Amino acid sequence: ANLKLEHKGSRFGDTITASIGVASTEGENQKESKELLEAVEYAVYQAKHKGKNRVFVEEAVTIKSWL
C-alpha cells in the first residue's frame, strides 16, 4: 500500500519510506546469533538497494553448528 506519509522539511524527500530486512531461524543457539544478525543486515542492505518501500526476506539462514 502506498500511504504517502508526509515528512515535510526533510532533505531526503517529502514522504516517509521504509526498507525492511527480515531473517529468522529456529531453536535456541545463542552462540551463533552473530550469523543471524549478519543475515538481517544483508536483508536490510538488499531491501535498500532494490528500491524504496521494500521488504526483503533472507530465506536461507543456516546456523553452522546445526550442520
Side-chain angles (χ1 to χ4, degrees):
N2 192 352
L3 300 176
K4 294 189 179 182
L5 300 172
E6 290 186 16
H7 193 231
K8 293 180 181 177
S10 171
R11 64 181 185 184
F12 299 107
D14 295 332
T15 57
I16 296 173
T17 63
S19 299
I20 301 169
V22 179
S24 66
T25 189
E26 294 178 338
E28 296 180 24
N29 193 346
Q30 299 298 321
K31 187 172 114 180
E32 301 294 337
S33 62
K34 179 182 174 199
E35 290 178 49
L36 180 58
L37 290 175
E38 288 172 353
V40 171
E41 287 177 350
Y42 173 79
V44 170
Y45 176 84
Q46 291 299 314
K48 286 184 175 203
H49 283 75
K50 291 184 183 287
K52 295 179 180 179
N53 294 324
R54 302 275 179 172
V55 174
F56 184 87
V57 179
E58 176 60 26
E59 297 182 21
V61 176
T62 303
I63 304 298
K64 290 178 185 172
S65 63
W66 291 0
L67 299 176

